[in-house]
Amino acid sequence: MPPSIIPPSIMPPSILLFFFGLLSATGSLPPPRTTFLLPSADRPLVLFSLPDIHNTTTLLLSDDGDTLYVGARDAVLSLDVSQSDVISLKKKVEWRPSDSEIKDCENKGKDATVDCPNFVRVLQPMNSTHLYACGSYAYSPHDGFIDAESFSMVDGQQADTKAKVRCPFSPMQKSTAIIVDGELFTATTTNFRGVEPQISRHFSKDGRQDVSQDSSLLEEPRFVSSASDPSEGKLYFFFNEVGNEFSFVDKLRIARVAQVCKDDVGGQRTLQNKWTSFAKTSLLCQVPKHLPFNVLRDVFTLPPPEGSDAANTLFYGVFTSQWSSGPESSVCVFKLQDIRAVFTGTYMNFDFQNQQWSTVLGKHPYLGQCGLNSASDSELEQVKKSFMTSGKVKPVGGGPVVVSSGQQYSHVAALRTQAANGNPYTVLFLLTESGFLHKVVLLDQGVHVVEEIQVFSQPQLVKSIVLSSSKGVVYVGTSEGVTAVPVARCSGYRTCSQCVLARDPLCGWSRSAGVCTALVAQQQDMAQDLENGNVEEQCPGQTRNSLLPATEVSVHLNEVVRLQCRKPSNVAALTWTSSRSDSLPDKLFIRSADGSLSFLATHETFGTYRCEAEEGGYRETVASYEVQQIVPPQIASPRSFSPFPKAEDDHGTDEPFEEISISTEEPKTSTTKPSGEPEDSGMKDEGVPGTTDWSDASPTDLTDEIVVADKANSGLKNEIKVTPERDAWSGEEPADERLRVREKSFYSELVVVSLLLAACVCVLILAGIHVWRQRKTGLKKISLVGSEDGGKTNQSMETVPSLSSPEDTGGPEVKVE
Ligand SMILES: *[C@@H]1O[C@H](CO)[C@@H](O)[C@H](O)[C@H]1NC(C)=O
Ligand SMILES: *[C@@H]1O[C@H](CO)[C@@H](O)[C@H](O)[C@H]1NC(C)=O
């Protein structure tokens, strides 16, 4: 059956793109400027968790922002969040099904621990004294009121059949609920199988009847969010569903918003106890010439700026695409004004018998309107089949404000703020499926990802976020606990340049105080440039270069020197310069992915070294070293290994700047060639993470010492003595780095290693065959050992000292004193 209506804006390009497999979105999000991994001392988070509390996934913030109510597994909590640096438990109500109720749930084929607890999934303020809660309750939804003062449950254990149409049976299904003037509006599936969707009103006031709609008006919906428009007396429900206006190979999902009027009482004969105001429309979110982002995941309602009309309310929607092969998502913004306009526009007729849509002809001004309780039966008959608008809601600006082809966003929160120049900016907090919170600022010229903050480490089936604009905190609820993430940490930017380069609308450099600090409205002396990050202009007094005192590094002749340089941000590019020569040839100087520079100390390489970071056209020195020779007292034993402390311990950051493992294996003596010629090394070490080889760097004899210097710790810190052979297998440079240095590897050693490896594999295979022949139980073990060994290439490589530190993703800070 051909689709009766093909919206030209979606179908032809999507079909084309579908067949050509072109989905990649254009103009994808730039990488986050800085990254904070858990646990990060540079970006501290507050975690609330208790051993007997699980699945703290439903969050509700009190109006004053001092209390966070949490719907958990078999419990509802009230948390004190009035202090920004601590979350404490105030009260808790237990709310769990009885043993016999759990048994009943199990008898219906559900798992006692996974499905049958009471997962509290609706928590709403009922009135000034009570909260409303609804939970899955052993696949038999229960609801009740909680006295906010005493924090005790009223009615929670009663089997109220009505509760079954107020929240889902399955703890995995999403529903949405909103309370307006003491009446509860819900959108949920209403039976054990998770079908029969309904949008309905409960606890209806003034003796009026509760109303809902025929479940046939919704097609496998997944409810996402709801919002109230008090000025028009309407409620909006955001969801996605199967679009039955299309016939498609796959079930095509469509993002929707539905409306109902708050005071709708249904018709008198037709549509009794049914909405006369129910209508739905599509939300478009599409990059031109690309497949639409058709699956709505979350919606955040941003109220209009103070004094502005309610029509300026914005809805930030997170979308994914049902055709995505990888992580991909986008954010589209819809304006209440545009949604209202579509619902007051034209409608389509649905022919229930043939499941076909056609345009409504003639004028029917009552469609989508409130107050049809005394409408005629013929009008209500028309209402019954005309519940879909022919117009669609387009996003503000015509397309997504954020498109990410690397991230699967699931939740969004937004805040509006005023920058130092007085202009308003929007900051989005986007939660990824992998557990990061991305802070994204929408600039005139595009988006900028200020930072990414890891908030949980295990993938979460159910999670939620709530933004407290009064406290400046984003709360993330997961099965692990509740995490509070301050919206900004300005003091982490130590210099004016870093503060300005961050382009964080919430932070500015106070010229008078000389610190990066939270922006206070209309502050005059704040340095900030969100659009361009122009440091020269904003921080004129800041010295650019050279004034950074050089750290002295004293080394022996022919030691390998390693100079650290930490990237101030993920997007900064580092360059090393030397006083001795303009260029530092790759042959002699090895640049690691962590920014460090390694070379052999010779008469030619003593001198001053400077590491400069370039970001947004601004260069600054981040490290400076003076490498000089010490006149050696006789080297006692080149074979000794000195243990040394973790590099960062002494200044309190958590970054694994250096993690150097020390081998106790007997080192080999040097077999290096004195010549500077690169040797053919082959590519046999593909599986080994990073190679650094000093063999050709030495014009003279090579002793086996490496000096690791760390600017942050002012000077020579760690001294390792290792053989060059083992150096050849250490480090963690990325592939391109590896290729560069691999040219200089030992060919002969590799051949030997390969032969040994081949021999090992043969022996293991023979052993395996032998054991298999004997059909002993030892079979499994042997073959496991074999495969593991093969994967790691060579046992001895595992015990090699690692020169490189792990990639510096832990923090943005440079300690530039
Ligand atoms: C709030 O709602 C609860 C539950 O319906 C009710 O018992 C209580 O009296 C209400 N309180 C106020 C102040 O209306
Ligand atoms: C509850 O938490 C556990 C981990 O503690 C998780 O495996 C499970 O999926 C969660 N269930 C729900 C419904 O959130």
Side-chain angles (χ1 to χ4, degrees):
M1 184 186 71
S4 52
I5 291 176
I6 298 180
S9 62
I10 295 183
M11 287 311 270
S14 67
I15 288 169
L16 271 177
L17 290 164
F18 188 63
F19 287 116
F20 290 119
L22 303 169
L23 186 64
S24 66
T26 53
S28 196
L29 214 56
R33 182 174 180 272
T34 50
T35 303
F36 300 94
L37 299 176
L38 270 176
S40 169
D42 292 326
R43 192 74 166 83
L45 312 178
V46 183
L47 175 67
F48 172 85
S49 67
L50 285 174
D52 58 333
I53 298 288
H54 306 276
N55 304 83
T56 46
T57 45
T58 307
L59 306 179
L60 170 70
L61 203 61
S62 68
D63 283 342
D64 60 8
D66 285 345
T67 307
L68 185 67
Y69 300 106
V70 180
R73 185 204 300 177
D74 296 327
V76 180
L77 319 176
S78 138
L79 305 181
D80 183 347
V81 290
S82 54
Q83 298 328 241
S84 61
D85 54 351
V86 61
I87 301 177
S88 56
L89 179 66
K90 279 209 282 204
K91 297 255 174 66
K92 171 181 151 188
V93 256
E94 298 260 350
W95 189 21
R96 70 176 78 236
S98 67
D99 289 349
S100 70
E101 285 164 324
I102 302 259
K103 265 255 118 39
D104 285 351
C105 176
E106 273 187 288
N107 290 341
K108 291 174 197 158
K110 298 296 170 187
D111 186 290
T113 51
V114 175
D115 306 308
C116 296
N118 182 23
F119 293 94
V120 179
R121 301 306 305 279
V122 173
L123 209 49
Q124 281 287 305
M126 182 73 197
N127 55 30
S128 57
T129 56
H130 285 72
L131 301 176
Y132 170 78
C134 192
S136 60
Y137 206 91
Y139 258 83
S140 167
H142 277 45
D143 64 356
F145 300 103
I146 297 168
D147 183 328
E149 193 62 34
S150 66
F151 221 66
S152 56
M153 192 95 205
V154 188
D155 294 345
Q157 312 296 334
Q158 281 177 20
D160 178 357
T161 49
K162 281 269 181 89
K164 296 191 168 41
V165 295
R166 292 176 187 151
C167 69
F169 286 59
S170 161
M172 301 303 174
Q173 268 195 351
K174 261 200 96 175
S175 70
T176 176
I178 184 167
I179 290 179
V180 182
D181 299 337
E183 291 178 311
L184 170 71
F185 298 83
T186 59
T188 180
T189 55
T190 58
N191 67 6
F192 187 84
R193 289 187 302 124
V195 292
E196 305 244 331
Q198 270 184 16
I199 293 176
S200 28
R201 184 180 66 216
H202 316 269
F203 311 126
S204 299
K205 279 192 170 164
D206 307 328
R208 62 190 183 191
Q209 291 296 306
D210 288 353
V211 279
S212 65
Q213 101 293 355
D214 277 332
S215 53
S216 61
L217 305 191
L218 298 167
E219 200 72 30
E220 298 176 37
R222 289 182 206 145
F223 297 108
V224 162
S225 175
S226 46
S228 153
D229 176 6
S231 60
E232 298 220 319
K234 283 187 178 175
L235 291 142
Y236 295 102
F237 296 89
F238 296 91
F239 58 103
N240 60 79
E241 65 170 349
V242 173
N244 62 4
E245 66 264 49
F246 310 104
S247 65
F248 203 67
V249 210
D250 291 335
K251 281 182 174 174
L252 180 71
R253 296 202 78 86
I254 306 275
R256 301 262 201 233
V257 57
Q259 68 151 38
V260 295
C261 293
K262 173 179 155 334
D263 296 319
D264 195 336
V265 290
Q268 280 159 359
R269 284 174 299 274
T270 309
L271 287 176
Q272 264 183 15
N273 298 340
K274 296 275 182 330
W275 304 108
T276 60
S277 54
F278 175 87
K280 64 183 184 183
T281 186
S282 311
L283 297 169
L284 295 181
C285 186
Q286 186 171 15
V287 176
K289 300 210 174 74
H290 285 77
L291 283 177
F293 287 100
N294 60 328
V295 182
L296 185 62
R297 306 286 302 272
D298 189 33
V299 171
F300 181 87
T301 304
L302 186 67
E306 221 153 293
S308 172
D309 193 85
N312 295 320
T313 303
L314 296 178
F315 302 102
Y316 286 82
V318 174
F319 289 80
T320 55
S321 168
Q322 92 184 72
W323 302 281
S324 291
S325 49
E328 190 177 37
S329 48
S330 69
V331 177
C332 277
V333 192
F334 302 92
K335 204 172 190 174
L336 178 55
Q337 187 179 347
D338 300 334
I339 296 177
R340 284 178 180 174
V342 169
F343 280 121
T344 50
T346 54
Y347 280 75
M348 295 197 283
N349 268 338
F350 191 57
D351 176 349
F352 281 93
Q353 218 140 54
N354 299 315
Q355 297 277 306
Q356 289 207 2
W357 291 94
S358 58
T359 308
V360 173
L361 302 171
K363 269 215 142 324
H364 304 285
Y366 49 86
L367 291 178
Q369 296 300 304
C370 299
L372 296 189
N373 49 327
S374 50
S376 69
D377 284 343
S378 70
E379 282 174 332
L380 293 180
E381 282 302 329
Q382 182 71 44
V383 165
K384 262 173 106 170
K385 54 185 181 183
S386 306
F387 54 92
M388 176 114 79
T389 65
S390 42
K392 297 170 170 50
V393 187
K394 293 191 189 68
V396 176
V401 290
V402 171
V403 177
S404 175
S405 50
Q407 297 295 341
Q408 188 91 329
Y409 292 126
S410 67
H411 289 78
V412 61
L415 64 80
R416 209 181 257 120
T417 187
Q418 204 177 36
N421 62 9
N423 294 339
Y425 282 95
T426 305
V427 181
L428 304 182
F429 295 90
L430 291 160
L431 189 62
T432 72
E433 288 290 3
S434 54
F436 285 85
L437 193 64
H438 284 196
K439 175 172 162 187
V440 177
V441 51
L442 307 180
L443 301 171
D444 295 347
Q445 55 199 23
V447 290
H448 168 59
V449 188
V450 179
E451 51 188 356
E452 64 173 347
I453 304 149
Q454 192 180 19
V455 287
F456 55 82
S457 45
Q458 298 299 317
Q460 300 289 321
L461 272 174
V462 182
K463 52 200 168 294
S464 60
I465 69 174
V466 154
L467 171 70
S468 169
S469 26
S470 63
K471 292 275 184 291
V473 172
V474 175
Y475 298 98
V476 180
T478 65
S479 56
E480 295 171 4
V482 178
T483 302
V485 186
V487 293
R489 184 160 188 271
C490 305
S491 61
Y493 306 114
R494 301 286 166 83
T495 59
C496 182
S497 55
Q498 286 305 312
C499 188
V500 168
L501 286 171
R503 293 155 75 201
D504 185 335
L506 305 172
C507 297
W509 182 262
S510 165
R511 295 192 182 98
S512 54
V515 287
C516 192
T517 172
L519 212 66
V520 183
Q522 305 307 322
Q523 210 169 332
Q524 280 310 307
D525 76 330
M526 290 300 244
Q528 190 192 57
D529 180 3
L530 298 184
E531 296 295 342
N532 305 306
N534 190 329
V535 177
E536 316 270 339
E537 228 167 65
Q538 295 295 324
C539 314
Q542 184 166 338
T543 49
R544 305 187 59 199
N545 279 332
S546 60
L547 277 189
L548 190 70
T551 305
E552 283 188 10
V553 181
S554 301
V555 292
H556 295 284
L557 199 61
N558 297 330
E559 273 182 323
V560 176
V561 181
R562 180 179 159 101
L563 304 176
Q564 301 281 13
C565 181
R566 210 187 301 184
K567 269 188 183 188
S569 83
N570 294 336
V571 294
L574 297 180
T575 38
W576 281 97
T577 53
S578 152
S579 58
R580 296 291 289 269
S581 70
D582 294 340
S583 65
L584 302 175
D586 287 348
K587 230 186 206 178
L588 302 179
F589 295 91
I590 292 159
R591 295 163 181 84
S592 306
D594 67 352
S596 66
L597 181 76
S598 306
F599 56 91
L600 201 72
T602 66
H603 290 297
E604 286 71 38
T605 58
F606 290 125
T608 313
Y609 290 83
R610 217 162 56 201
C611 175
E612 285 188 323
E614 193 271 311
E615 183 177 350
Y618 176 75
R619 296 179 77 87
E620 72 182 338
T621 305
V622 286
S624 177
Y625 299 97
E626 175 70 45
V627 181
Q628 58 197 22
Q629 186 180 6
I630 27 175
V631 184
Q634 205 56 40
I635 297 169
S637 162
R639 301 283 170 257
S640 67
F641 297 96
S642 53
F644 44 84
K646 195 166 173 279
E648 297 303 293
D649 282 353
D650 44 350
H651 55 100
T653 79
D654 60 322
E655 282 167 75
F657 202 72
E658 283 167 37
E659 270 174 21
I660 306 180
S661 59
I662 298 169
S663 170
T664 51
E665 197 186 298
E666 186 57 34
K668 282 190 270 176
T669 43
S670 170
T671 55
T672 50
K673 318 266 186 304
S675 103
E677 295 296 304
E679 288 188 58
D680 175 23
S681 65
M683 294 290 155
K684 296 183 192 66
D685 54 342
E686 209 48 67
V688 183
T691 60
T692 312
D693 179 2
W694 319 104
S695 61
D696 67 329
S698 167
T700 54
D701 315 7
L702 198 63
T703 65
D704 16 8
E705 291 188 78
I706 293 178
V707 173
V708 180
D710 178 0
K711 162 74 193 68
N713 274 357
S714 298
L716 189 65
K717 198 174 49 191
N718 303 315
E719 192 164 334
I720 352 163
K721 297 164 183 174
V722 287
T723 66
E725 281 78 29
R726 287 192 283 127
D727 295 343
W729 302 109
S730 65
E732 298 188 357
E733 286 96 291
D736 57 338
E737 204 76 33
R738 241 183 289 152
L739 287 176
R740 204 185 305 158
V741 292
R742 199 175 290 119
E743 287 171 27
K744 298 162 267 172
S745 281
F746 306 107
Y747 179 65
S748 54
E749 272 77 355
L750 282 168
V751 169
V752 171
V753 165
S754 310
L755 287 175
L756 280 173
L757 183 67
C760 279
V761 169
C762 286
V763 168
L764 284 167
I765 288 171
L766 286 175
I769 290 170
H770 176 70
V771 172
W772 176 73
R773 283 253 171 93
Q774 293 194 341
R775 295 180 181 173
K776 293 285 181 208
T777 45
L779 169 80
K780 214 170 203 171
K781 195 174 170 196
I782 298 278
S783 61
L784 265 180
V785 168
S787 69
E788 182 164 284
D789 193 49
K792 286 183 177 168
T793 313
N794 189 321
Q795 291 276 309
S796 67
M797 292 169 195
E798 286 296 296
T799 53
V800 154
S802 164
L803 265 188
S804 295
S805 59
E807 228 179 304
D808 183 17
T809 49
E813 260 168 51
V814 211
K815 307 243 157 44
V816 187
E817 268 87 42

